[in-house]
C-alpha cells in the first residue's frame, strides 16, 4: 500500500484540473520516477501527453492505467481520443463503446461517439448516442455540431441547418457556427445569407473554410476570377486545406492558368 501523507498525487491532479498542465506533468513524473504505482498517475500523464498533442505517448500511459484498472472509463475515452487524432476512427469507436459499457452516464463518451459515427456515415448510430448525450447535458453545443456534420454528409441539409441553429443558440461564439450555417444556407440556395455568414467568419479560426465557401459561391455564379481569389486566400490561410487546393487548381485550369494550376494539383 502506498501512503501519500502530503497528498502529492491529489495536488498534481488539482493542478491539472486548474489548467496548469506543465506543473501537473512535472509533479506526476516525479512520483513516477520514485516508483509510485497508481493508475491515476498514468491516467493523468496520459491526459498531459494528449494536451501536448502527443497521442502515441498518451496511448502508452492510458494502457498502463488500464493494466492496473481495466474498468477506468476515462482511460478508454482517452484511448479513443488518441486513435481519433491518429485517424483510426474504427478503433476510437471501439474504445468509446467500451467506455459507455462501463459508465453509460458519461456524456462526453456519447458525444464523441456522435462525432465518430458521423465521420463513418452511420447516422442512425450517431442519432442514438446524440439522444443520450442531449438528455445528460442539454446545454452542450458539441453534440449538435456533430449531428450537423452527420446530417450534411447524409444530404439532409435542412436537418443540418437546424442543428447548426441549435449550436448558435447554445454557444453564439462557437468558432465554427458561421461557416456551418453558411454551408447549409448555400446548399439550399440562400446565397445572400450564406455569403453574409461566410463574411462574418473570415477573421475567425475557420477563416480558410469561409474563403473556400465564398469561392464556391462565386464559382456557382460564374464569377471564376473571384472564385480563384477566394480559393487563393483559403490556401494562404491554411496550406493544408485539401479541398481549397483542389478547387483552386480546377478553377485555375478553367480560366487558362494551367501552370499555376499544376502547382496546386500536386
Amino acid at each position: 500500500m502506498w501512503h501519500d501523507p502530503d497528498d502529492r498525487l491529489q495536488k498534481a491532479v488539482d493542478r491539472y484540473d486548474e489548467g496548469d498542465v506543465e506543473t501537473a506533468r512535472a509533479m506526476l513524473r516525479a512520483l513516477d520516477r520514485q516508483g509510485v504505482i497508481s493508475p491515476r498517475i498514468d491516467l493523468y500523464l496520459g491526459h498531459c501527453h494528449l494536451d501536448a498533442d502527443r497521442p502515441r505517448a498518451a496511448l502508452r500511459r492510458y494502457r498502463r492505467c488500464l493494466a492496473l484498472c481495466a474498468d477506468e472509463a476515462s482511460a478508454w475515452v482517452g484511448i479513443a481520443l488518441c486513435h481519433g487524432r491518429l485517424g483510426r476512427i474504427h478503433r476510437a469507436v471501439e474504445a468509446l463503446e467500451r467506455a459507455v459499457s462501463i459508465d453509460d452516464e458519461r456524456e462526453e463518451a456519447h458525444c464523441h461517439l456522435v462525432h465518430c459515427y458521423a465521420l463513418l456515415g452511420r447516422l442512425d448510430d450517431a442519432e442514438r448516442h446524440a439522444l443520450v448525450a442531449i438528455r445528460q447535458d442539454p446545454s452542450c453545443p458539441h453534440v449538435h455540431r456533430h449531428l450537423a456534420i452527420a446530417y450534411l454528409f447524409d444530404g439532409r441539409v435542412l436537418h443540418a441547418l437546424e442543428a447548426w441553429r441549435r449550436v448558435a443558440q447554445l454557444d453564439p461564439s462557437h468558432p465554427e457556427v458561421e461557416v456551418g450555417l453558411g454551408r447549409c444556407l448555400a446548399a439550399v440556395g440562400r446565397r445572400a445569407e450564406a455569403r453574409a455568414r461566410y463574411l462574418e467568419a473570415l477573421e475567425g479560426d475557420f477563416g480558410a473554410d469561409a474563403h473556400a465557401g465564398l469561392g464556391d459561391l462565386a464559382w456557382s455564379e460564374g464569377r471564376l476570377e473571384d472564385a480563384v481569389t477566394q480559393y487563393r486566400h483559403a490556401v494562404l490561410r491554411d496550406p493544408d486545406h485539401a479541398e481549397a487546393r483542389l478547387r483552386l487548381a480546377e478553377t485555375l485550369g478553367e480560366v487558362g492558368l494551367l501552370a499555376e494550376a499544376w502547382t496546386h494539383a500536386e
Side-chain angles (χ1 to χ4, degrees):
M1 176 70 70
W2 170 57
H3 296 284
D4 186 19
D6 297 323
D7 289 330
R8 290 174 295 168
L9 177 52
Q10 186 58 51
K11 288 175 182 176
V13 171
D14 290 342
R15 296 300 288 269
Y16 179 85
D17 291 340
E18 291 164 4
D20 190 353
V21 176
E22 286 305 313
T23 299
R25 181 178 180 276
M27 295 170 70
L28 292 163
R29 287 287 292 127
L31 291 171
D32 192 45
R33 285 194 297 269
Q34 292 168 20
V36 176
I37 298 174
S38 168
R40 293 183 79 202
I41 292 175
D42 291 306
L43 176 66
Y44 277 89
L45 280 173
H47 293 344
C48 291
H49 284 309
L50 198 56
D51 286 343
D53 199 25
R54 295 193 292 266
R56 289 183 172 82
L59 268 174
R60 289 193 292 271
R61 284 295 177 174
Y62 289 134
R63 286 169 176 157
R64 286 182 60 173
C65 172
L66 290 170
L68 297 170
C69 183
D71 288 339
E72 177 54 69
S74 295
W76 285 110
V77 172
I79 282 177
L81 294 176
C82 293
H83 285 313
R85 293 196 188 183
L86 295 169
R88 306 166 182 166
I89 305 303
H90 288 284
R91 295 179 71 177
V93 166
E94 291 174 0
L96 289 167
E97 291 287 9
R98 179 66 182 270
V100 298
S101 73
I102 296 167
D103 180 5
D104 189 50
E105 296 302 310
R106 187 169 289 265
E107 183 272 340
E108 64 170 328
H110 289 287
C111 188
H112 289 310
L113 277 166
V114 177
H115 183 47
C116 289
Y117 282 130
L119 294 175
L120 294 174
R122 293 169 57 177
L123 185 55
D124 289 344
D125 290 316
E127 288 182 317
R128 174 168 54 87
H129 285 284
L131 289 174
V132 179
I134 293 167
R135 184 176 68 248
Q136 292 173 345
D137 185 2
S139 66
C140 177
H142 304 297
V143 64
H144 298 288
R145 179 260 185 194
H146 301 329
L147 277 176
I149 292 172
Y151 287 136
L152 202 57
F153 282 170
D154 197 54
R156 294 164 61 176
V157 180
L158 294 178
H159 286 79
L161 182 58
E162 289 305 311
W164 276 118
R165 284 175 173 158
R166 288 193 291 274
V167 175
Q169 290 172 353
L170 293 167
D171 182 8
S173 63
H174 190 288
E176 196 178 356
V177 69
E178 296 295 345
V179 166
L181 287 168
R183 286 173 177 152
C184 294
L185 291 165
V188 295
R190 294 161 62 175
R191 295 177 181 173
E193 293 173 78
R195 184 174 292 106
R197 294 291 185 175
Y198 288 140
L199 291 171
E200 285 290 325
L202 284 178
E203 300 305 318
D205 294 339
F206 288 82
D209 294 284
H211 278 298
L214 288 168
D216 290 344
L217 288 175
W219 186 89
S220 68
E221 295 166 357
R223 297 182 288 108
L224 298 187
E225 296 290 347
D226 290 341
V228 166
T229 299
Q230 293 297 339
Y231 292 143
R232 278 185 179 137
H233 283 309
V235 172
L236 285 172
R237 288 283 293 272
D238 181 4
D240 295 324
H241 198 303
E243 291 184 5
R245 291 182 66 88
L246 176 60
R247 292 171 190 169
L248 176 56
E250 291 174 343
T251 311
L252 285 167
E254 290 190 46
V255 298
L257 298 175
L258 298 179
E260 186 182 355
W262 277 111
T263 66
H264 293 287
E266 295 174 350

